[in-house]
């Protein structure tokens, strides 16, 4: 009889312990799932960011927006030498390029009205330059200036 009572008393306890073990397993499984959901994207993003930073510029494409019947005052070679004075564009890694500074350099040129520089996903650096349209040439003290449609020198 004591054996029977002992079995009856210990059976709910055993079931309780087994349910706790199952809960711990499910808790561990939930923690593992949450860890994977949170950590794997961070890991993949850091890997992709690292690979993107070591890529080189494949080529540079310069689009000048100026009327065809007008004189071109700024050439593609002048734009490229203005942007990359120390080395070729293809020698720069994507991490080294400071696109905002390159745009400011181009905008500071007196013959450039506006400039847009951007990278494509395949590593091509695209430069869109709109040339000022000079309407008058001013000569002063053996120096000459051009005035554009907006009145800027």
């Amino acid at each position: 009889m004591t054996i029977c009572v002992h079995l009856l008393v210990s059976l709910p306890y055993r079931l309780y312990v087994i349910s706790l073990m199952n809960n711990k397993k499910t808790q561990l499984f939930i923690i593992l799932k949450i860890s994977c959901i949170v950590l794997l994207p961070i890991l993949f993003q850091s890997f992709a960011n690292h690979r993107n930073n070591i890529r080189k510029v494949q080529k540079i494409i310069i689009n000048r927006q100026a009327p065809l019947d007008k004189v071109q005052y700024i050439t593609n070679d002048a734009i490229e030498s203005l942007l990359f004075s120390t080395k070729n564009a293809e020698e720069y890694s994507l991490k080294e390029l400071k696109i905002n500074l390159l745009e400011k350099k181009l905008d500071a040129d007196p013959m450039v009205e506006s400039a847009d520089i951007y990278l494509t996903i395949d590593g091509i650096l695209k430069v869109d330059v709109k040339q000022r349209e000079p309407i008058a040439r001013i000569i002063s003290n053996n120096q000459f200036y051009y005035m554009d449609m907006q009145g800027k020198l």
Side-chain angles (χ1 to χ4, degrees):
M1 174 127 169
T2 59
I3 295 175
C4 191
V5 171
H6 181 64
L7 284 175
L8 288 175
V9 171
S10 67
L11 185 62
Y13 179 73
R14 285 183 184 171
L15 290 175
Y16 176 72
V17 169
I18 289 173
S19 70
L20 278 181
M21 286 175 50
N22 284 339
N23 283 343
K24 286 187 180 186
K25 285 182 183 178
T26 56
Q27 287 176 353
L28 182 64
F29 184 69
I30 290 172
I31 290 171
L32 185 62
K33 275 178 30 177
I34 291 173
S35 301
C36 287
I37 289 171
V38 171
L39 294 178
L40 280 178
I42 293 171
L43 180 69
F44 289 148
Q45 179 64 32
S46 64
F47 176 72
N49 192 25
H50 173 70
R51 288 210 40 198
N52 191 41
N53 285 339
I54 62 173
R55 285 186 348 178
K56 299 278 185 189
V57 173
Q58 298 299 317
K59 65 180 178 178
I60 182 170
I61 297 175
I62 299 174
N63 298 321
R64 288 181 290 135
Q65 301 168 359
L68 294 177
D69 59 341
K70 302 286 182 175
V71 176
Q72 303 291 323
Y73 289 98
I74 189 164
T75 63
N76 288 353
D77 293 334
I79 292 170
E80 196 165 342
S81 66
L82 182 65
L83 292 177
F84 307 106
S85 57
T86 56
K87 53 185 176 178
N88 285 338
E90 288 83 13
E91 295 176 11
Y92 283 93
S93 69
L94 298 183
K95 186 178 183 180
E96 292 174 328
L97 283 179
K98 306 290 187 234
I99 293 179
N100 289 338
L101 294 176
L102 293 177
E103 277 189 21
K104 286 179 184 177
K105 270 187 189 179
L106 271 181
D107 285 334
D109 190 273
M111 295 312 299
V112 174
E113 185 174 324
S114 66
D116 289 321
I117 301 175
Y118 54 94
L119 275 168
T120 62
I121 197 162
D122 52 349
I124 297 173
L125 183 70
K126 292 197 174 186
V127 180
D128 295 332
V129 176
K130 185 174 182 187
Q131 174 181 297
R132 292 186 195 270
E133 291 185 46
I135 59 170
R137 184 164 71 170
I138 302 169
I139 300 173
S140 172
N141 297 333
N142 292 331
Q143 293 182 340
F144 61 93
Y145 306 97
Y146 291 99
M147 183 169 50
D148 66 357
M149 297 289 285
Q150 299 163 346
K152 294 182 181 178
L153 294 178

